[in-house]
């Protein structure tokens, strides 16, 4: 059976954005998570890149569609378009570069301004392999995360440390939020086939095989 | 008169022109003559002159002379007395006088009977004495009349003597009494009668009368050299000459190199004549051409079977074999040079015929094939199969062209079209048969053989330059034939087919059978042809290095201006030109195909999705994008290894640039919504990824980076129309690839253009066109 046309190989499709200063390692985090690759000579991302990976959470297949954005984008009109429909976000900084940590506040503000209010957010201190060059103390970042209700992980895209965990935690958090909301939606009796309005617009559960597909057809 | 004899100069002058006896008489003419002019040192001088005329050396210092002078006679005196001092000159002369004056007197009076005393009965002794007499006679060479009379008579005597010797020699030679013959030969040599000796030897060892060579060394039917007969003939020759070498050593020893002279005559008169007559059968010129082709084998056999097997010759010396080789080289040279000419001519004609035959064969095959196609199609029409059985490709084809199949004329038209298209596909199949690698290889091999055979004669110093120049000509012929008679027609035809190719027609015809193909077939075939061309080029380069440079036919350092290098370069240029022309055409066809894919597979809702289906859509490249990248992928790397990196780079960059233009055109053809932008961006990322990471052509990467930036124009929400206007003005954002006008044109493909236009134009122009109202 061809999944493209007749069915889906996943139960949920989550849009997640990677944000943070240029050069903190967003693209390599993404490639480490989706294809287990690392590119020493990776260049600045132009515009936006996509990658997906399907993982299982509580028996459900969740396809994470991750948007890797250019850290140096200056136009708010574009960044806001990136955030549109995102249910999760990872704000990435470089533990050896304090300015990239200091900017996290700015990224968080921009995210809150543009994205869904329920967006799940994780703070990632990347390049943990550069411990000898550390400029951002773990505790300080941890406190910042707690204050802002962010997940927090220190990772290394280079040696894979905690990459999987960071993404998994975020996706699990989104899933829990979505499943809770879906109950809410069902209680309100909304038609699942219509593009949902309001904050749930982006929490897009994929139709579950054919039974649900019939629902979608109006 | 008497006064004359008082003048010293006159007296001495006279005295100098007198023979010995007259001089002695002249001294006694009177006291005054003797005492004033011809005694003491003046007299000494006279005797000295005589001795010097007899080739004796004058020494200033006294030579101790203990040997008893009485022991010397006419036979030996010259061996012992070789020098004198002025003071002993007269005495020395007296000794010679005693030995020879008796003979001289006899000669003067032509009293030749019993010329030699009995003790000199041995012919060799007599010969030596005759030579010594001649030498002694020189003492009175100034009295020329006297001297000539002596010498004339001596010559008559010697002739008689030689005649007798020859008679004796002949008698002894017939009875194979070679030891005696050898003695007589020594006599002849002492008498400076070397030629007589050689003539005698030659007359007694005549090749023609002793040896019978085979009537023909060629097979009369094939005119090929019969190696067995040749071997036999050379064996006969070797045996004959070896026997003569031994005989010469016995007769002459190393006293006179008669074998050299004898061998030269043998080679010049007998060998070269024999082989020349073998090579020129005079039947017809073709026979001669076939026969002369055996020249290298013939020459090698002469050296290896004849010269190499000659016995050592004492008479000929250590270099005898080398000398014989040189004679062979010298006397066979004209035939060898004419072989070189014939071989070149033959190679040229053979190769031309081969390539011409290939062209004819291909034509015939193609014609037969075409007839077959036509026949099978016509059969279908006449059987109404074409219409009734709904032949797969024709029905689809009919649909495409909306031809109703109800009338006969229309079915005829169909037949014609189907035939043409079938013809095209079969042409595609045969495009690689336009240049036959196999045939090229054979021709290169033939050239190698030709040169190798000609190089047999590099051993001949005299014609080295000729051989080298002929080998160079062979290479030039090779290049000429390969390019003019094979690659040129092949490439011309291939480019023709490429130009005639219409991917849409072929596709339409085959669409139901094979679905959509991701290849521009003639371009694939053409790259195969480029590959073949490159292999042929490499073959000639290797050939040049291995055959011409390594064998020193060409000196790389000296001959870099040689026209052969030029020929090689022209060949490369010609191939490059064809490659460029074909690739250019190929790129056009490839872009036709890209356009075809965009027109057929890029669906209107690809970038302008229905919001209802949006949430189901995964973000991945569109079918059209994947198909086109696949198409490019299938063609961009065909040249790898087939031609030089520069050509590949130019090709890939050109494909990339043209593809970029097609993408821009494609964007302008489609409408893009803010929701659909992300799918366009995904396509553009996909293109970028192909160019930057697969094609790896750095120079065109910015084009595709610019496209990525263009994609973001559509992502911006219509709420942000003012910032959209700012972005359009921010030309640096688009990598300098697009002008503001172009960006402005592109942004008009937004589905909400009408809504955002006013704000955008306000930012760009200060106020929107829509703000203008006619007052």
């Amino acid at each position: 059976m061809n999944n493209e046309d007749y069915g889906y190989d996943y139960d949920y499709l989550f849009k997640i954005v990677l944000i943070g200063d240029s050069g903190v390692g967003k693209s390599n985090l993404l490639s480490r998570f989706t294809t287990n690759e690392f590119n020493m000579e990776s260049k600045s991302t132009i515009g936006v890149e996509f990658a997906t990976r399907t993982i299982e959470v509580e028996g459900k297949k969740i396809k994470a569609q991750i948007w890797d954005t250019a850290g140096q984008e200056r136009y708010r009109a574009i960044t806001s378009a990136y955030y549109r429909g995102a249910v999760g976000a990872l704000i990435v900084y470089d533990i050896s570069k304090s300015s990239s940590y200091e900017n996290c506040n700015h990224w968080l503000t921009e995210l809150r301004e543009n994205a869904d209010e329920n967006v799940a957010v994780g703070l990632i201190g990347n390049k943990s392999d550069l411990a000898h060059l550390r400029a951002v103390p773990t505790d300080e970042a941890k406190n910042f995360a707690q204050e802002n209700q962010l997940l927090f992980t220190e990772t290394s895209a280079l040696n894979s440390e905690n990459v999987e965990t960071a993404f998994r935690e975020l996706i699990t958090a989104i899933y829990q939020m979505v499943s809770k909301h879906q109950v809410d939606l069902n209680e309100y009796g909304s038609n699942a086939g219509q593009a949902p309005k309001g904050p749930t617009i982006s929490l897009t559960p994929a139709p579950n095989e054919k039974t649900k597909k019939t629902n979608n057809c109006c | 008169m008497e006064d004359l004899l008082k003048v010293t100069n006159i007296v001495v002058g006279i005295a100098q022109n007198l023979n010995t006896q007259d001089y002695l008489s002249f001294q006694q003419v009177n006291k005054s003559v003797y005492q004033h002019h011809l005694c003491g040192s003046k007299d000494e001088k006279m005797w000295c002159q005589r001795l010097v005329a007899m080739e004796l050396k004058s020494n200033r210092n006294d030579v101790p002379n203990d040997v008893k002078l009485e022991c010397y006679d006419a036979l030996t005196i010259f061996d012992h007395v070789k020098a004198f001092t002025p003071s002993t000159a007269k005495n020395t002369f007296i000794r010679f006088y005693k030995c020879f004056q008796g003979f001289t007197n006899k000669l003067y009076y032509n009293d030749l009977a019993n010329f030699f005393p009995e003790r000199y009965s041995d012919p060799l002794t007599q010969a030596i004495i005759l030579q010594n007499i001649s030498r002694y006679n020189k003492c009175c060479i100034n009295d020329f009349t006297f001297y000539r009379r002596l010498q004339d008579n001596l010559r008559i005597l010697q002739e008689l003597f030689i005649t007798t010797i020859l008679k004796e020699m002949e008698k002894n030679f017939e009875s194979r009494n070679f030891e005696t013959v050898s003695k007589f030969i020594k006599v002849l040599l002492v008498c400076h009668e070397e030629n007589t000796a050689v003539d005698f030897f030659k007359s007694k060892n005549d090749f023609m009368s002793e040896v019978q060579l085979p009537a023909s060394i060629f097979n009369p039917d094939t005119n090929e050299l019969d190696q067995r007969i040749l071997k036999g003939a050379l064996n006969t020759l070797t045996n004959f000459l070896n026997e003569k070498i031994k005989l010469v050593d016995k007769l002459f020893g190393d006293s006179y190199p008669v074998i050299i002279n004898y061998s030269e005559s043998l080679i010049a008169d007998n060998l070269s004549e024999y082989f020349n007559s073998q090579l020129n059968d005079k039947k017809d010129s073709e026979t001669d051409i076939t026969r002369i082709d055996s020249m290298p084998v013939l020459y090698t056999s002469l050296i290896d079977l004849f010269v190499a097997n000659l016995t050592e010759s004492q008479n000929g010396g250590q270099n005898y074999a080398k000398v014989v080789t040189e004679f062979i080289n010298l006397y066979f040279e004209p035939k060898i040079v004419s072989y070189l000419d014939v071989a070149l001519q033959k190679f040229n004609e053979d190769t031309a015929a081969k390539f011409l035959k290939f062209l004819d064969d291909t034509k015939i095959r193609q014609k037969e094939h075409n007839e077959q196609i036509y026949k099978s199609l016509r059969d279908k029409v006449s059987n109404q199969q074409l219409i009734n059985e709904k032949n797969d490709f024709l029905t689809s084809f009919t649909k495409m062209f909306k031809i109703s199949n109800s009338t006969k004329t229309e079915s005829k038209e169909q037949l014609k079209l189907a035939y043409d298209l079938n013809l095209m596909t079969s042409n595609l199949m045969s495009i690689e048969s336009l240049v036959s690698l196999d045939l090229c290889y054979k021709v290169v091999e033939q050239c190698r053989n030709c040169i190798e055979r000609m190089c047999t004669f590099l051993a001949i110093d005299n014609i080295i330059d000729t051989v080298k120049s002929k080998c160079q000509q062979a290479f030039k012929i090779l290049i000429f034939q390969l390019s003019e008679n094979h690659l040129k027609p092949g490439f011309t035809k291939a480019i023709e087919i490429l130009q005639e190719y219409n991917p849409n027609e072929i596709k339409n015809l085959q669409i139901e059978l094979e679905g959509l193909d991701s290849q521009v077939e003639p371009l694939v075939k053409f790259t195969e042809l480029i590959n073949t061309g490159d292999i042929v080029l490499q073959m000639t380069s290797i050939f040049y290095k291995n055959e011409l440079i390594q064998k020193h036919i060409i000196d790389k350092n000296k001959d870099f201006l040689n026209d052969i290098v030029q020929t090689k370069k022209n060949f490369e240029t010609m191939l490059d030109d064809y490659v460029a022309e074909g690739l250019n055409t190929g790129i056009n066809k490839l872009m036709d195909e890209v356009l075809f894919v965009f027109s057929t597979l890029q669906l209107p809702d690809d970038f302008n999705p229905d919001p209802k289906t949006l949430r189901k859509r995964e973000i991945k490249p569109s079918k059209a994008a994947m198909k086109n990248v696949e198409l490019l992928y299938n063609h961009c790397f065909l040249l790898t290894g087939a031609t030089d990196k520069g050509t590949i780079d130019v090709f890939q960059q050109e494909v990339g640039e043209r593809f970029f233009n097609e993408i821009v055109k494609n964007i302008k053809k489609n409408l893009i919504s803010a929701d659909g932008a992300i799918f366009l961006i995904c396509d553009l990322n996909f293109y970028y990824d192909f160019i930057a990471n697969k094609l790896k052509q750095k120079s065109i990467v910015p084009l595709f980076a610019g496209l990525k930036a263009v994609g973001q124009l559509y992502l911006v929400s219509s709420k942000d129309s003012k910032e959209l206007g700012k972005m359009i003005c921010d030309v640096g954002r688009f990598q300098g690839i697009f002008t503001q006008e172009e960006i402005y044109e592109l942004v008009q493909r937004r589905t909400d253009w009408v809504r955002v236009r006013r704000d955008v134009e306000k930012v760009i122009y200060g106020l929107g066109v829509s703000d203008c109202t006619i007052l």
Side-chain angles (χ1 to χ4, degrees):
Chain A
M1 189 159 73
N2 190 338
N3 282 330
E4 272 178 39
D5 296 330
Y6 304 110
Y8 296 87
D9 54 356
Y10 53 86
D11 299 304
Y12 291 90
L13 179 66
F14 290 164
K15 173 176 170 181
I16 296 165
V17 289
L18 283 174
I19 52 178
D21 277 7
S22 186
V24 297
K26 296 185 290 296
S27 298
N28 270 322
L29 270 174
L30 179 59
S31 65
R32 178 61 79 195
F33 178 62
T34 55
T35 54
N36 200 18
E37 285 171 85
F38 183 90
N39 183 3
M40 274 294 185
E41 285 141 35
S42 94
K43 294 188 182 102
S44 287
T45 304
I46 307 166
V48 57
E49 296 278 353
F50 315 96
T52 59
R53 188 177 150 189
T54 306
I55 62 164
E56 216 165 283
V57 176
E58 293 174 20
K60 297 285 180 192
K61 282 191 180 123
I62 297 176
K63 187 157 199 165
Q65 180 187 82
I66 305 155
W67 293 38
D68 171 25
T69 64
Q72 73 273 39
E73 182 54 62
R74 289 177 291 118
Y75 287 93
R76 192 200 46 78
I78 289 177
T79 45
S80 77
Y82 291 155
Y83 299 131
R84 203 161 59 212
V87 292
L90 288 175
I91 301 172
V92 187
Y93 68 91
D94 176 350
I95 65 149
S96 67
K97 204 173 167 194
S98 54
S99 67
S100 74
Y101 171 71
E102 283 149 21
N103 279 337
C104 286
N105 213 355
H106 154 76
W107 287 110
L108 185 60
T109 313
E110 195 179 82
L111 179 69
R112 296 273 192 233
E113 273 171 16
N114 291 287
D116 185 284
E117 62 174 291
N118 290 319
V119 66
V121 186
L123 180 67
I124 303 281
N126 192 33
K127 309 199 185 176
S128 63
D129 50 284
L130 299 179
H132 55 294
L133 298 173
R134 178 182 285 280
V136 181
T138 311
D139 287 345
E140 193 186 324
K142 207 181 257 174
N143 289 338
F144 174 76
Q146 255 167 10
E147 282 164 24
N148 291 284
Q149 289 179 297
L150 312 175
L151 298 166
F152 174 70
T153 324
E154 282 193 351
T155 61
S156 165
L158 179 74
N159 64 24
S160 299
E161 191 187 13
N162 280 339
V163 175
E164 185 82 14
T165 318
F167 277 97
R168 258 183 197 284
E169 277 177 6
L170 182 75
I171 291 165
T172 309
I174 300 168
Y175 173 73
Q176 283 161 355
M177 208 180 310
V178 167
S179 47
K180 184 169 151 264
H181 268 270
Q182 197 159 39
V183 173
D184 298 344
L185 283 173
N186 287 344
E187 279 170 0
Y188 286 109
S190 302
N191 188 341
Q194 295 249 310
K197 286 168 187 168
T200 51
I201 188 165
S202 54
L203 307 182
T204 315
N208 249 335
E209 303 306 323
K210 281 168 190 157
T211 46
K212 284 207 172 168
K213 196 181 173 232
T214 48
N215 270 351
N216 295 336
C217 295
C218 335
Chain B
M1 183 68 180
E2 287 229 334
D3 291 344
L4 281 179
L5 295 179
K6 284 176 185 162
V7 183
T8 305
N9 282 350
I10 292 175
V11 174
V12 170
I14 292 170
Q16 270 174 342
N17 288 293
L18 297 175
N19 66 46
T20 314
Q21 240 147 10
D22 288 346
Y23 173 66
L24 291 171
S25 309
F26 187 51
Q27 269 184 326
Q28 291 167 1
V29 162
N30 59 42
K31 225 182 201 172
S32 145
V33 167
Y34 175 73
Q35 280 175 349
H36 289 105
H37 311 302
L38 296 177
C39 74
S41 68
K42 288 186 191 103
D43 182 48
E44 266 175 24
K45 216 176 180 178
M46 291 297 165
W47 299 116
C48 283
Q49 273 176 5
R50 281 169 207 280
L51 289 172
V52 169
M54 286 156 55
E55 296 162 36
L56 268 73
K57 263 193 195 153
S58 165
N59 280 345
R60 293 211 162 262
N61 304 327
D62 277 340
V63 191
N65 208 339
D66 306 331
V67 190
K68 286 184 179 171
L69 298 172
E70 294 74 38
C71 305
Y72 307 149
D73 63 358
L75 182 66
T76 58
I77 186 161
F78 275 110
D79 296 333
H80 296 289
V81 183
K82 291 178 177 167
F84 63 94
T85 57
S87 58
T88 61
K90 191 174 180 180
N91 280 333
T92 307
F93 187 80
I94 287 169
R95 280 174 210 143
F96 281 96
Y97 187 87
K98 275 183 184 160
C99 290
F100 293 108
Q101 196 57 33
F103 293 117
T104 305
N105 289 343
K106 280 184 180 174
L107 279 178
Y108 187 77
Y109 296 108
N110 207 13
D111 173 17
L112 302 183
N114 301 318
F115 186 77
F116 293 106
E118 209 144 301
R119 58 191 166 114
Y120 298 138
S121 61
D122 175 50
L124 188 59
T125 310
Q126 292 178 350
I128 294 166
I129 291 174
L130 284 174
Q131 303 317 305
N132 287 350
I133 292 168
S134 176
R135 186 172 171 184
Y136 169 78
N137 281 347
K138 284 182 186 154
C139 72
C140 39
I141 196 162
N142 285 354
D143 184 354
F144 196 71
T145 325
F146 177 78
Y147 171 74
R148 204 171 67 188
R149 182 167 169 167
L150 289 183
Q151 284 302 97
D152 284 349
N153 289 342
L154 180 65
R155 206 186 61 240
I156 291 164
L157 176 65
Q158 187 162 314
E159 272 167 17
L160 284 170
F161 176 72
I162 297 291
T163 313
T164 319
I165 294 292
L166 279 173
K167 267 185 202 156
E168 287 294 314
M169 248 169 87
E170 198 146 344
K171 230 193 282 166
N172 281 289
F173 192 88
E174 295 310 325
S175 56
R176 304 187 62 79
N177 193 358
F178 294 132
E179 226 166 285
T180 315
V181 177
S182 163
K183 265 187 198 158
F184 286 128
I185 281 174
K186 244 177 234 150
V187 172
L188 288 181
L189 295 182
V190 166
C191 296
H192 303 293
E193 290 287 340
E194 293 90 349
N195 289 338
T196 316
V198 171
D199 287 346
F200 171 79
F201 181 81
K202 278 188 186 170
S203 71
K204 292 290 155 199
N205 296 281
D206 182 34
F207 176 81
M208 293 301 272
S209 52
E210 284 184 42
V211 172
Q212 184 74 43
L213 287 176
S216 177
I217 50 169
F218 288 96
N219 180 318
D221 300 323
T222 62
N223 283 309
E224 272 168 18
L225 194 65
D226 189 323
Q227 300 261 16
R228 199 181 46 83
I229 300 181
L230 173 68
K231 213 172 166 184
L234 291 176
N235 204 25
T236 311
L237 270 174
T238 314
N239 291 341
F240 171 80
L241 187 56
N242 278 344
E243 194 190 299
K244 298 308 166 196
I245 289 169
K246 281 180 205 147
L247 186 58
V248 166
D249 280 354
K250 217 178 268 173
L251 298 183
F252 288 81
D254 57 2
S255 53
Y256 184 76
V258 66
I259 196 68
I260 301 291
N261 187 310
Y262 183 76
S263 305
E264 181 173 2
S265 313
L266 179 70
I267 289 162
D269 303 335
N270 304 114
L271 275 195
S272 84
E273 188 130 316
Y274 174 72
F275 285 113
N276 280 352
S277 71
Q278 289 290 323
L279 291 169
N280 290 25
D281 197 45
K282 283 171 195 144
K283 265 193 237 154
D284 55 83
S285 60
E286 208 172 309
T287 309
D288 287 352
I289 288 175
T290 320
R291 289 195 169 186
I292 204 165
D293 205 37
S294 306
M295 201 58 219
V297 183
L298 199 62
Y299 178 79
T300 314
S301 305
L302 270 170
I303 302 300
D304 293 349
L305 300 179
F306 172 60
V307 180
N309 288 329
L310 291 177
T311 35
E312 270 183 42
S313 166
Q314 186 200 357
N315 183 268
Q318 280 182 334
N319 285 333
Y320 173 63
K322 208 179 147 202
V323 172
V324 173
T325 307
E326 268 161 22
F327 284 138
I328 289 175
N329 291 347
L330 180 67
Y331 290 102
F332 280 81
E333 189 185 304
K335 263 284 168 261
I336 290 169
V337 169
S338 94
Y339 158 78
L340 294 174
D341 290 335
V342 168
L344 272 188
Q345 192 194 339
K346 200 165 164 252
F347 171 61
N348 192 22
E349 284 165 5
D350 278 5
T351 313
K354 265 188 194 136
F355 284 136
L356 236 73
K357 186 173 179 303
F358 176 81
L359 280 182
D360 285 349
D361 286 354
T362 316
K363 246 183 227 159
I364 290 167
R365 263 206 313 277
Q366 193 67 52
K367 206 180 155 210
E368 280 171 0
H369 192 68
N370 293 354
E371 276 166 7
Q372 219 179 334
I373 291 171
Y374 189 78
K375 193 169 168 291
S376 71
L377 286 170
R378 197 193 50 209
D379 287 350
K380 278 180 189 165
V381 172
S382 60
N383 295 340
Q384 289 291 298
Q385 269 182 350
L386 189 69
I387 301 152
N388 298 340
E389 288 181 13
K390 300 195 172 177
N391 176 292
D392 259 1
F393 72 77
L394 271 182
T395 42
S396 71
F397 160 77
T398 309
K399 274 184 225 152
M400 291 293 176
F401 291 88
K402 296 198 165 66
I403 299 169
S404 85
N405 51 12
S406 54
T407 66
K408 185 111 186 175
T409 29
E410 276 165 354
S411 77
K412 259 187 192 164
E413 275 171 25
Q414 282 175 29
L415 173 66
K416 174 80 179 73
L417 200 43
Y419 170 69
D420 288 347
L421 296 179
N422 263 289
L423 219 57
M424 183 70 76
T425 34
S426 84
N427 270 340
L428 298 186
M429 305 302 235
S430 58
I431 196 168
E432 65 204 317
S433 71
L434 291 174
V435 170
S436 163
L437 193 56
D438 184 51
L439 190 55
C440 291
Y441 175 74
K442 275 182 189 151
V443 167
V444 170
E445 266 305 290
Q446 200 181 343
C447 184
R448 201 176 65 86
N449 274 339
C450 178
I451 287 183
E452 210 151 79
R453 284 155 56 87
M454 293 202 285
C455 282
T456 311
F457 305 111
L458 276 180
I460 306 175
D461 285 343
N462 235 10
I463 56 168
I464 278 182
D465 288 340
T466 314
V467 174
K468 282 183 178 176
S469 132
K470 297 288 175 187
C471 289
Q472 291 176 12
Q473 279 179 43
F475 183 74
K476 271 198 267 183
I477 290 172
L478 173 72
I479 299 290
F480 176 83
Q481 291 293 352
L482 280 174
S483 65
E484 290 299 314
N485 286 337
H486 200 53
L487 291 173
K488 251 188 194 175
F491 269 95
T492 308
K493 181 81 186 156
I495 289 170
E496 234 169 66
I497 291 173
L498 200 53
Q499 272 162 350
E500 284 167 10
Y501 174 81
N502 181 342
N504 299 353
E505 276 182 22
I506 302 269
K507 285 257 157 48
N508 291 338
L509 192 72
Q510 296 176 331
I511 202 156
E512 287 191 5
L513 301 170
E514 292 169 37
L516 210 57
D517 220 356
S518 296
Q519 284 190 335
V520 176
E521 202 53 27
L523 181 55
V524 175
K525 296 289 185 195
F526 189 79
T527 55
E528 280 171 26
L529 194 62
I530 292 175
N531 203 6
T532 309
D534 192 58
I535 294 172
V536 173
L537 184 69
Q538 282 180 31
M539 277 202 294
T540 58
S541 293
I542 292 168
F543 189 91
Y544 178 79
K545 259 185 235 150
N546 289 1
E547 302 297 317
L548 302 186
I549 303 271
Q550 247 175 44
K551 288 181 181 161
H552 303 294
I553 289 164
I554 262 196
D555 184 333
K556 213 163 54 178
N557 302 321
K558 263 195 226 154
D559 295 338
F560 69 98
L561 286 174
N562 188 303
D563 59 344
I564 216 158
V565 180
Q566 201 51 49
T567 308
K568 205 169 145 275
K569 279 211 180 98
N570 290 346
F571 182 55
E572 284 163 21
T573 312
M574 183 208 81
L575 274 179
D576 283 350
D577 288 350
Y578 275 119
V579 168
E581 195 187 337
L583 289 183
N584 192 34
T585 313
I587 291 171
N588 288 341
K589 298 297 167 184
L590 182 60
M591 287 305 134
D592 288 351
E593 191 91 356
V594 165
L595 188 61
F596 182 80
V597 169
F598 275 140
S599 327
T600 52
L601 291 184
Q602 193 83 73
L603 304 175
D605 63 356
D606 275 352
F607 309 136
N608 185 18
D610 182 345
K612 285 180 203 159
T613 60
L614 179 64
R615 50 194 221 82
K616 290 189 278 174
R617 263 182 74 175
E618 240 185 281
I619 299 173
K620 61 178 186 186
S622 68
K623 261 190 188 168
M626 289 202 278
K627 194 78 206 168
N628 268 337
V629 166
E630 187 189 347
L631 196 60
L632 257 49
Y633 185 82
N634 284 345
H635 292 91
C636 283
F637 304 103
L638 288 172
L639 287 173
T640 312
T643 184
D644 61 301
K645 174 121 186 12
T647 308
I648 293 172
D649 284 347
V650 169
F651 174 69
Q652 292 185 341
Q653 284 161 14
E654 176 75 10
V655 167
E657 258 173 63
R658 301 269 301 264
F659 184 53
F660 165 80
N661 289 331
E662 290 301 329
I663 295 168
V664 172
K665 274 195 246 163
N666 186 49
I667 294 175
K668 287 180 186 168
K669 266 197 315 203
N670 280 281
L671 283 173
I672 301 111
S673 65
D675 285 336
I678 203 65
F679 301 105
L680 173 65
I681 289 174
C682 186
D683 276 6
L684 298 176
N685 282 353
F686 190 56
Y687 298 144
Y688 178 90
D689 189 54
F690 173 73
I691 300 292
N693 302 323
K694 296 252 166 57
L695 203 61
K696 291 180 181 160
Q697 285 297 346
K698 277 189 186 150
S699 67
I700 54 168
V701 169
L703 297 178
F704 290 83
L707 279 177
K708 275 187 161 195
V710 165
Q712 292 179 314
L713 290 174
Y714 305 102
L715 194 65
V716 175
S717 151
S718 44
K719 286 179 286 181
D720 294 321
S721 50
K722 282 188 185 138
E723 217 173 85
L724 181 63
K726 274 189 220 160
M727 279 170 69
I728 295 167
C729 299
D730 185 0
V731 180
R733 195 175 165 77
F734 304 97
Q735 319 269 332
I737 301 302
F738 298 96
T739 62
Q740 191 180 320
E741 286 71 27
E742 282 169 313
I743 295 297
Y744 181 66
E745 203 184 328
L746 283 164
V747 82
Q748 292 178 33
R749 302 313 298 170
R750 285 179 62 105
T751 47
D752 58 0
W753 175 241
V754 188
R755 259 184 291 157
V756 298
R757 179 178 179 182
R758 209 176 127 151
D759 287 339
V760 168
E761 284 180 349
K762 253 185 196 164
V763 177
I764 303 177
Y765 304 116
L767 78 165
V769 178
S770 47
D771 283 342
C772 298
T773 25
I774 301 166
L775 294 171

